[in-house]
Amino acid sequence: MKKRKITDDIRLRQEKNVLTAKGQVRDVNSRTIFKDSMLVAQFLRDNLDIPILKNVKPEDIEDVTERYQAYLGISFETDTVKRIWLREAGEDSQIYLVSLIEHKSEVDYNISMQLLRYMVCIWDEYAREAEKQKKGITKTKGFKYPAILPIVYYEGSGNWTPELRLQDRIMLKEVLGEYIPDFTYRLVRIHDYTNEELLSREDEMSLLMMINKVQTAEDMTQFLRSDQDKIREIVSKDPSHVLDIIAFTIWSLCMKMNMPVEDAAECVRKVEDRDMGYLFENMEKMDIQEERRQRKEAEQRAEKIEGKLKEKEIQMEKAIESYVQLCQEFHVEKDDTVARLAEKYHLSPTDAKEKVRIYWKD
């Protein structure tokens, strides 16, 4: 069977002007990773520490994302919903995994409510299906809804600051807490793991997490210092569909780190051919020094802007002080001075009143 080459697909995208500029290449969509059942099984085993999920196999995992997004009338590119059959617990034992993926530096404070919408949707649809099979079953004492495990997979380098409980988004929880629905979602933040920890798992999902950790020059340095033999060993046994995902992830990393397109394509070919011998040597050509220079220049520009803003604030404050004292000298009433000050310097009435209080000489 002829193997499809990722490099050919990349060239096709370039011809369609999808990948026309290195600075505009988007990160690999993490939903692609979570749509793969083999990678999800590894993720559950490695990151959740839940005994009933330790032996879940790829064939036990069914992707049902489109069903629920269609039901909700929404389409979030980074959300996935999985139905997981727990074979050891019996034929009908199942749970649902809702994973929301945040790969930007910004965090989403409404994510617990987004998870709740999915959970209610899953339970509602489950009840509808049960009623189709046996009318009235949901009203019986023995009817149970499936468990749902909500997860946020966060690739950002910054801390995750939103609360993990739904109730923290609801007003008056201290007074009415017992009447307010609540749940906690599980946060998996890739930067909480060292490269050594990820590599010790010796599987493809952890390698992808390790690659997606690379967001700065320092991250790249740590990546290059990792055990390259272990990385090559992982890639050498990858099934072709997972190898495709790793190849695209490497391409995205190369573009993000400003590697020349020709060298990036060579890296992808090395992954496809499972020949990792010189892959990471090529990655050293990434423009790390340029990134550091640009970061330093950006910091210097920010410092200059901050200095100018402080200087303008000082000048403004002196002008306000002079204006208040001038009004007083010409016997303008305090209340009239407040009104004039607010209009002239675009201050709120409260701020203008405070300035007059400070600078008015009794």
Side-chain angles (χ1 to χ4, degrees), residues 97-110:
L97 171 72
V98 178
S99 61
L100 303 189
I101 302 157
E102 291 295 314
H103 52 78
K104 300 177 182 177
S105 57
E106 300 85 5
V107 296
D108 184 351
Y109 284 90
N110 204 39

